[in-house]
Amino acid sequence: MAKEEQKLGEGSSQNSNSQFPEIITVLPGDDVTEIINKLVQSSKKTTTSKERTTKLGNGLRLIEQDENENNTIKKYIFTATLAGRLQHRITSKAITFHILANTKRYFPQRNDRIVATIDERIGDYYRVTIPHASTGSALLPITAFEGATKRNRPMLNHGDLVYCRIDSETEQSRVMEPFVSCCVRPGEISSGGLSKKDWMTDEGTYGQLKGGCTASISLGLAQELLLPHNVVLDALGRSSIPFEICIGVNGMIWVKTKEDQPEYTILILNAIENSQVMTEGQVRGMVKALVKTVRSSIDSQD
């Protein structure tokens, strides 16, 4: 899975943000302008790089207001449109704010990473089904893979899984089909952790998901798993269990372990599902207990 950007407020910047609670809960309509502005100013004190761009993600809106009667002075306000936790991430070029909310329906947004299913081919496109999405489906160009051409490209069939990203959206994206792509965008490469390799190598960030097992999780849990240094994924990674995982913000995850040991697949899925109601210490203890139990069961069968 691709490495996510570092979360603002971790490491050396944690002390500078101590005037805010670790968890900032907001409701629709809340004015978060002061919080965002102070966090942006705090980030400038912890870096010597150029000034970063402030970006708004899911659940936040920028409102423009007039400060005087002549409409010559503008005032900009950041407001929340969803109930949830205010999150912030930092890269070398931008600071991104978004609301972490556990909604029931996924609304596609540009550059979201999703797990989708091939439905059918229509001319130069595949129609893919996006589980839990408001649009229901999207269009994937047949050449939207790293190094693909019309003659040399993946031959996908009905039911195949792909890990892709939302490539474009329209003003009517909540009701119309967006476009998706299995190509890494330039901005993702600079953030680190992504692989831009030919689709034939099966080592790229996006592409067809072969084998493995899929499961449906809540949208809030999917967003938690994509945060840097997620506790349950960190604990599973330290358990020496070889596995691959792809997490879609649309509430779908794909897990692949050794074909002759499906017990580990069940272990990973159970650990992820249980983690959403546990503290960090409980999660790490739960993963250790599950790994010990499964390994004992496998050893007893040999």
Side-chain angles (χ1 to χ4, degrees):
M1 183 187 70
K3 203 173 183 180
E4 294 293 313
E5 297 91 346
Q6 181 182 359
K7 181 180 177 183
L8 182 65
E10 293 182 344
S12 61
S13 63
Q14 189 172 6
N15 293 334
S16 62
N17 296 336
S18 59
Q19 66 269 34
F20 298 107
E22 183 177 352
I23 298 178
I24 304 175
T25 304
V26 298
L27 296 173
D30 283 356
D31 186 346
V32 294
T33 307
E34 181 181 359
I35 297 175
I36 290 179
N37 287 339
K38 288 187 176 181
L39 289 174
V40 170
Q41 292 299 322
S42 297
S43 69
K44 294 179 180 179
K45 300 177 183 178
T46 61
T47 180
T48 58
S49 62
K50 296 181 180 179
E51 185 174 351
R52 297 182 176 93
T53 302
T54 302
K55 296 183 178 180
L56 299 183
N58 184 50
L60 291 172
R61 178 181 298 172
L62 178 63
I63 299 178
E64 181 181 300
Q65 293 183 348
D66 298 319
E67 278 196 320
N68 59 0
E69 297 179 357
N70 298 328
N71 300 332
T72 57
I73 301 178
K74 300 294 184 181
K75 179 181 179 181
Y76 297 95
I77 298 176
F78 300 107
T79 61
T81 60
L82 294 175
R85 285 184 289 165
L86 178 63
Q87 298 282 337
H88 42 283
R89 292 180 295 174
I90 184 172
T91 64
S92 60
K93 296 182 179 180
I95 302 175
T96 303
F97 295 88
H98 69 279
I99 302 298
L100 183 63
N102 190 16
T103 56
K104 294 184 178 180
R105 179 167 293 187
Y106 165 65
F107 295 99
Q109 294 192 19
R110 189 179 181 88
N111 296 323
D112 279 353
R113 299 172 185 175
I114 62 171
V115 175
T117 306
I118 299 296
D119 188 14
E120 60 181 343
R121 178 177 173 181
I122 306 174
D124 291 337
Y125 298 91
Y126 290 109
R127 173 171 278 123
V128 300
T129 299
I130 306 177
H132 309 147
S134 58
T135 59
S137 61
L139 295 177
L140 171 65
I142 61 175
T143 57
F145 298 84
E146 299 291 351
T149 63
K150 286 191 175 182
R151 292 188 177 182
N152 181 28
R153 57 180 176 79
M155 303 298 293
L156 303 177
N157 300 310
H158 174 76
D160 289 343
L161 293 173
V162 289
Y163 190 51
C164 54
R165 64 178 179 83
I166 303 295
D167 190 41
S168 66
E169 56 180 333
T170 65
E171 294 295 333
Q172 297 81 21
S173 60
R174 290 175 176 249
V175 294
M176 295 181 63
E177 291 181 322
F179 286 90
V180 297
S181 173
C182 290
C183 295
V184 176
R185 62 184 177 89
E188 290 180 304
I189 298 176
S190 62
S191 64
L194 298 189
S195 175
K196 187 178 181 180
K197 294 187 177 181
D198 193 282
W199 68 271
M200 297 183 67
T201 65
D202 288 333
E203 297 178 357
T205 300
Y206 304 109
Q208 182 180 3
L209 302 176
K210 300 178 181 179
C213 175
T214 58
S216 176
I217 60 177
S218 66
L219 301 188
L221 178 57
Q223 295 178 63
E224 289 274 7
L225 294 175
L226 286 170
L227 291 176
H229 313 299
N230 177 265
V231 177
V232 66
L233 293 183
D234 179 70
L236 289 170
R238 295 174 184 271
S239 66
S240 300
I241 298 177
F243 70 95
E244 298 176 62
I245 186 169
C246 288
I247 303 164
V249 295
N250 59 320
M252 295 295 296
I253 59 173
W254 173 85
V255 178
K256 183 177 182 180
T257 58
K258 290 185 178 180
E259 295 182 1
D260 57 343
Q261 293 179 330
E263 296 90 347
Y264 284 138
T265 301
I266 299 174
L267 181 156
I268 293 170
L269 294 177
N270 285 340
I272 289 175
E273 187 68 28
N274 295 337
S275 67
Q276 60 185 332
V277 294
M278 294 183 175
T279 64
E280 179 176 346
Q282 291 173 334
V283 169
R284 296 190 184 278
M286 176 263 297
V287 170
K288 289 182 180 180
L290 287 176
V291 172
K292 182 179 180 180
T293 301
V294 171
R295 284 178 174 168
S296 299
S297 177
I298 294 177
D299 292 340
S300 64
Q301 295 176 4
D302 294 340

